[in-house]
């Protein structure tokens, strides 16, 4: 029977102590017990307890360990005595009182002293300032007929929060009937909660809104807006342009004169609901809208319409790529018509693109061809190099350095006067005269006539064309330029050349804007155009007679003659550059005709350009009939009386009587 187990807890640090059941024995070395005298007490052996240790081998005595230093004395804990609690209570009470006073003072400041400020700030969190649309100015012709105008329309809405319950059924019936809406759809908007703004109808005419407003139904209101409208078929879309969705001009005069036309929007404060809806009835007027000014043009709406229609018909008939027409009043520079084709409808720009929006009369350039010969011969006459009766030997062709120039028709060698060279549009005769004039002089006259520089119209997209400096002219540049090749112009520039001759040699910058009209109806005229003399009156008269010979039976444009009127003009047929090859080959032709009437007392200039006509491309045959139609209509519209004089006899050939 085993000895009873000692149930007393054992100190793990004591020799022979074991770890708890299930735990690992401690691996720390055990310190041997010490005797009171400082020696080492023998520890019991592993096999028996309480027995003396076995003698060390060889009789060696057990080693003694050095004495451990005595443990440090225990730390003394500092003790505090409680103070008097009444003092702390007083301090705490004072602090609480100060804090309460601060809160109370702040509340007084917010609710009494600065109450209005904070109320306004709170209101501002739900109020916004919005723009009130203003009436955009009209664009009209010289007589006030509109090319572009703004019509007032209304957006009708309901505020469900203020709808009178007794009027609910009547309100729903009225809105559904007047605006052709489903009754259920209207009822849903009238009863919408918590909405304060539900749109019922847009683009409502003012008179329709006034009828509804007179019924006095609570909760229904309207917002003013304006629609830009362009009367159909005015033929001036490329010049006038159009506005964007925000009401500001994007193209043409609408864009260029936007600051004048737009006016200044008003300001209104509106309440904004939790869902971000604007409630127009909740705000107040901050600033009255200022209407824009009307822009009055120099155009004649009837002539503009007729020119556009005639041009479009001819382009379609000849399967041309496009064309343009300028009609200008002689002496004032006023443009009566500026038409371009193809064109577009400004009421629906979604069916067109940037190419159609361009005003080709100023943006598209071309080589003027024979219409430029009037400058070459005018320079020779003005410089005294030749006279209208001077005779030149004109063969069918001429070689100039390494290039051969030919007339359009082979008449063999002729003896032509300068009058005849112009009438028959002789390339060879013109080159001979240009060689006498010289590059520097010819270039200076071209600049004086307005080529290679802005027209003065100040229209968007204008292309100044190309007129190379004479220092850069190569061997055959002089003869090429003299007959209208190697340079480019736009239709407005070329029209101005013939207007200068018709005006007795004085160039007047063309203009399309006559002035502005303020909201009170007061007209402010535009700045007077610049004027400068280019050739003498005598030279201009001589050129006019030569141009009149062009429309004779011996000339290149008898199709341009108008019964009852003396007509002066010049044909032009020029090669076009093929953009794919950079050369004339396969590029087609440009047909032009420019002239004025009556030749003895010029009143109107008409310039016609057809780009790459397919059926016939000679200027007289392609563009001449267009000139005839438009000039005839313009003379009648302006009530220009028929010519009372007969044209003088002009000698074209040396042996002619």
């Amino acid at each position: 029977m085993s000895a009873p187990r000692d149930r007393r807890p054992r100190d793990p640090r004591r020799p022979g102590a074991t770890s708890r059941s299930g735990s690992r024995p401690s691996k720390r070395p055990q310190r041997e017990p010490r005797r009171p005298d400082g020696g080492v007490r023998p520890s019991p052996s592993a096999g028996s307890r309480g027995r003396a240790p076995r003698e060390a081998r060889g009789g060696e005595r057990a080693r003694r360990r050095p004495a451990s230093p005595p443990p440090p004395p225990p730390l003394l804990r500092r003790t505090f005595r409680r103070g008097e609690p009444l003092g702390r209570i007083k301090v705490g009470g004072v602090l609480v009182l100060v804090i309460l006073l601060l809160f109370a003072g702040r509340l007084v400041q917010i609710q009494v002293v600065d109450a209005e400020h904070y109320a306004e700030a709170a209101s501002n969190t739900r109020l916004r300032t919005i723009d009130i649309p203003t009436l955009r100015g009209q664009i009209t012709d010289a007589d006030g007929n509109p090319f572009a105008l703004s019509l007032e329309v209304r957006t009708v809405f309901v505020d469900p929060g203020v709808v009178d319950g007794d009027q609910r059924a009547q309100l729903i019936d009225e809105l559904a009937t007047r605006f052709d809406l489903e009754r259920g759809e209207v009822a849903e908007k009238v009863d919408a909660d918590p909405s304060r703004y539900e749109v019922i109808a847009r683009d409502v005419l003012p008179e329709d809104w006034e009828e509804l407003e007179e019924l006095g139904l609570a909760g229904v209101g309207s917002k003013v807006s304006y629609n830009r409208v362009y009367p159909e078929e005015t033929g001036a879309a490329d010049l006038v342009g159009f506005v964007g969705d925000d009401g500001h001009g994007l193209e043409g005069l609408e864009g260029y004169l936007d600051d004048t036309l737009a006016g200044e929007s008003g300001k209104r404060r509106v309440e904004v609901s939790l869902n971000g809806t604007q409630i127009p009835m909740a705000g107040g007027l901050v600033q009255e809208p200022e209407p824009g000014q009307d822009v009055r043009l120099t155009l004649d709406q009837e002539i503009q319409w007729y020119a556009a229609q005639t041009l479009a018909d001819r382009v379609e008939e000849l399967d041309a790529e496009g064309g343009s027409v300028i009609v200008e009043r002689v002496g004032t520079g006023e443009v009566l018509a500026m038409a371009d084709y193809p064109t577009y409808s400004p009421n629906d720009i979604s069916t067109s693109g940037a190419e159609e929006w361009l005003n080709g009369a100023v943006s598209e350039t071309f080589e003027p061809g024979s219409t430029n010969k009037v400058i070459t011969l005018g320079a020779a006459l003005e410089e005294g190099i030749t006279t209208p009766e001077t005779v030149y030997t004109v063969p069918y062709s001429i070689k100039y350095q390494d290039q051969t120039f030919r007339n359009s028709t082979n008449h063999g060698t002729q003896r032509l006067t300068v009058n005849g060279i112009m009438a028959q549009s002789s390339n060879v005769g013109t080159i001979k005269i240009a060689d006498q004039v010289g590059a520097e002089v010819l270039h200076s006259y071209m600049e004086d006539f307005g080529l290679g520089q802005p027209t003065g119209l100040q229209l968007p997209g204008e292309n100044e064309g190309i007129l190379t400096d004479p220092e850069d002219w190569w061997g055959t540049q002089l003869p090429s330029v003299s007959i209208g090749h190697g340079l480019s112009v736009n239709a407005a520039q070329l029209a101005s050349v013939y207007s200068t001759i018709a005006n007795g040699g004085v160039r007047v910058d063309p203009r399309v804007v006559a002035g502005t009209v303020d909201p009170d109806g007061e007209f402010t005229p535009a700045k007077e155009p610049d004027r400068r003399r280019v050739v003498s009156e005598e030279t201009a008269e001589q050129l006019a007679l030569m141009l009149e010979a062009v429309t004779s039976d011996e000339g290149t444009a008898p199709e341009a003659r108008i019964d009852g009127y003396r007509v002066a003009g010049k044909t032009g047929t020029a090669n076009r550059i093929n953009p794919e090859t950079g050369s004339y080959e396969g590029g087609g032709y440009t047909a032009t005709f420019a002239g004025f009437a009556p030749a003895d007392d010029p009143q109107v200039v008409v310039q016609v350009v057809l780009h790459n006509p397919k059926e016939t491309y000679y200027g007289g045959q392609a563009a001449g009939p267009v000139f005839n139609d438009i000039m005839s209509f313009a003379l009648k519209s302006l009530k220009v009386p028929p010519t009372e004089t007969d044209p003088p006899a002009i000698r074209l050939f040396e042996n002619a009587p």
Side-chain angles (χ1 to χ4, degrees):
M1 188 172 178
S2 61
R5 205 173 208 185
D6 188 357
R7 300 293 183 180
R8 292 176 299 171
R10 297 187 180 185
D11 188 349
R13 294 171 295 181
R14 291 176 55 200
T18 60
S19 62
R20 293 181 182 179
S21 174
S23 64
R24 300 177 59 185
S26 174
K27 293 185 179 182
R28 294 178 59 185
Q30 296 178 351
R31 183 178 295 174
E32 297 186 7
R34 296 184 178 275
R35 297 187 304 185
D37 60 2
V40 178
R41 182 185 300 172
S43 50
S45 64
S48 63
R49 294 185 181 172
R51 293 163 56 177
R54 186 182 297 177
E55 292 290 333
R57 294 183 180 180
E60 293 183 2
R61 298 177 61 182
R63 294 182 180 178
R64 293 173 179 260
R65 291 177 179 268
S68 299
L75 295 174
L76 296 177
R77 183 174 295 173
R78 182 175 297 174
T79 60
F80 293 92
R81 291 192 306 170
R82 295 184 179 182
E84 188 66 32
L86 184 59
R88 293 201 302 273
I89 292 173
K90 290 181 178 180
V91 173
V94 171
L95 291 176
V96 171
L97 180 61
V98 170
I99 293 173
L100 291 175
L101 288 175
L102 289 175
F103 278 117
R106 182 62 174 159
L107 287 173
V108 171
Q109 179 190 6
I110 293 174
Q111 297 184 356
V112 179
V113 179
D114 295 334
E116 293 183 2
H117 169 74
Y118 286 101
E120 181 180 357
S123 176
N124 288 340
T125 61
R126 55 188 173 81
L127 292 180
R128 298 287 186 273
T129 300
I130 64 171
D131 289 338
I132 303 174
T134 187
L135 182 63
R136 187 176 178 85
Q138 298 186 41
I139 300 177
T140 73
D141 75 347
D143 296 325
N145 300 308
F147 288 112
L149 68 157
S150 293
L151 296 180
E152 179 184 329
V153 293
R154 298 295 184 109
T155 298
V156 177
F157 64 91
V158 292
D159 180 354
V162 296
V163 171
D164 189 340
D166 296 336
Q167 297 178 333
R168 176 183 175 279
Q170 181 185 1
L171 176 61
I172 293 173
D173 289 339
E174 285 290 343
L175 295 178
T177 302
R178 288 178 179 274
F179 303 117
D180 194 21
L181 301 173
E182 292 292 336
R183 193 177 187 282
E185 177 186 353
V186 176
E188 184 178 348
K189 293 184 177 182
V190 170
D191 298 335
D193 185 34
S195 175
R196 298 292 307 277
Y197 180 75
E198 294 290 327
V199 175
I200 300 297
R202 302 182 188 275
D203 296 337
V204 178
L205 296 178
E207 52 268 27
D208 294 337
W209 159 247
E210 290 172 2
E211 291 180 3
L212 177 60
E213 187 180 29
E214 289 175 357
L215 299 178
L217 298 173
V220 63
S222 72
K223 285 172 56 178
V224 176
S225 59
Y226 298 95
N227 284 346
R228 198 64 167 172
V229 177
Y230 303 91
E232 294 291 342
E233 298 180 352
T234 62
D238 299 78
L239 173 63
V240 173
F242 56 86
V243 300
D245 293 336
D246 62 353
H248 286 282
L250 295 180
E251 291 289 338
L253 292 175
E254 288 274 37
Y256 184 70
L257 300 174
D258 188 60
D259 290 343
T260 301
L261 293 163
E264 186 174 353
S265 299
K267 303 292 181 184
R268 182 185 296 278
R269 304 205 75 183
V270 299
E271 186 177 356
V272 180
S273 66
L274 293 177
N275 61 3
T277 301
Q278 295 178 358
I279 308 172
M281 292 188 297
L285 186 65
V286 177
Q287 177 182 323
E288 287 279 0
E290 183 177 339
Q293 297 185 64
D294 293 345
V295 173
R296 184 181 297 175
L297 305 182
T298 60
L299 301 186
D300 182 295
Q301 194 175 77
E302 291 186 354
I303 298 176
Q304 175 70 35
W305 177 85
Y306 191 86
Q309 292 298 312
T310 304
L311 173 66
D313 292 343
R314 191 60 170 169
V315 169
E316 295 290 341
E317 180 183 356
L318 299 182
D319 192 23
E321 292 181 7
S324 58
V325 169
I326 303 286
V327 181
E328 188 172 323
R329 192 189 295 272
V330 175
T332 65
E334 295 173 338
V335 175
L336 301 177
M338 181 178 287
D340 187 54
Y341 191 83
T343 185
Y344 65 99
S345 171
N347 291 310
D348 183 15
I349 63 172
S350 62
T351 59
S352 58
E355 187 174 349
E356 289 87 358
W357 301 341
L358 287 175
N359 182 6
V362 294
S363 66
E364 189 163 3
T365 59
F366 53 91
E367 293 190 353
S370 295
T371 52
N372 195 59
K373 292 174 181 175
V374 71
I375 299 179
T376 303
L377 300 189
L381 294 173
E382 186 71 12
E383 294 294 316
I385 294 171
T386 190
T387 69
E389 296 290 327
T390 303
V391 177
Y392 288 81
T393 300
V394 182
Y396 166 61
S397 64
I398 184 174
K399 188 169 184 179
Y400 202 99
Q401 295 192 10
D402 62 343
Q403 186 171 345
T404 300
F405 294 87
R406 298 178 176 83
N407 291 326
S408 59
T409 304
N410 189 356
H411 294 294
T413 300
Q414 296 175 295
R415 293 280 290 172
L416 296 175
T417 64
V418 175
N419 293 327
I421 289 173
M422 178 76 83
Q424 295 203 344
S425 194
S426 171
N427 292 332
V428 174
T430 304
I431 290 171
K432 283 192 168 188
I433 295 174
D435 210 26
Q436 294 178 278
V437 174
E440 292 284 349
V441 174
L442 179 59
H443 182 274
S444 67
Y445 275 93
M446 288 183 174
E447 283 190 324
D448 289 344
F449 272 102
L451 304 190
Q453 54 193 299
T455 60
L457 287 167
Q458 297 182 340
L459 292 177
E462 181 176 323
N463 190 331
E464 298 177 8
I466 299 174
L467 180 61
T468 310
D469 191 279
E471 295 179 358
D472 299 325
W473 288 7
W474 57 88
T476 59
Q477 188 79 347
L478 173 61
S480 294
V481 170
S482 70
I483 60 175
H485 293 277
L487 75 159
S488 64
V489 299
N490 63 47
Q493 288 174 328
L494 196 55
S496 181
V497 170
Y498 284 81
S499 184
T500 299
I501 296 169
N503 194 40
V506 176
R507 184 180 188 276
V508 181
D509 283 350
R511 57 181 180 141
V512 73
V513 177
T516 58
V517 181
D518 64 21
D520 295 329
E522 183 176 350
F523 175 73
T524 301
K527 177 185 175 183
E528 282 293 318
D530 291 338
R531 300 168 180 266
R532 62 179 180 275
R533 179 166 290 282
V534 178
V535 294
S536 66
E537 187 172 358
E538 180 184 4
T539 297
E541 290 176 354
Q542 291 172 342
L543 289 173
L545 288 174
M546 293 181 186
L547 294 174
E548 192 171 1
V550 172
T551 64
S552 67
D553 291 337
E554 293 81 12
T556 58
E559 299 91 344
R561 287 202 299 262
I562 300 173
D563 291 341
Y565 294 90
R566 290 171 57 182
V567 177
K570 184 71 187 73
T571 59
T573 307
N575 296 95
R576 292 169 58 87
I577 297 292
N578 186 340
E580 295 182 0
T581 63
S583 65
Y584 288 133
E585 185 177 358
Y589 297 90
T590 298
T592 58
F593 191 96
F596 49 86
D600 59 329
D601 184 19
Q603 300 294 314
V604 183
V605 169
V606 174
Q607 161 71 51
V608 179
V609 181
L610 298 176
H611 300 293
N612 200 19
K614 303 298 191 305
E615 298 299 324
T616 180
Y617 57 83
Y618 285 108
Q621 299 170 0
V626 183
F627 168 88
N628 186 302
D629 286 348
I630 296 175
M631 178 61 83
S632 298
F633 185 86
L635 292 172
K636 293 176 182 177
S637 296
L638 299 175
K639 296 179 174 56
V640 177
T643 304
E644 296 181 354
T645 60
D646 294 326
I650 301 177
R651 190 165 66 99
L652 306 182
F653 303 94
E654 180 182 31
N655 297 325

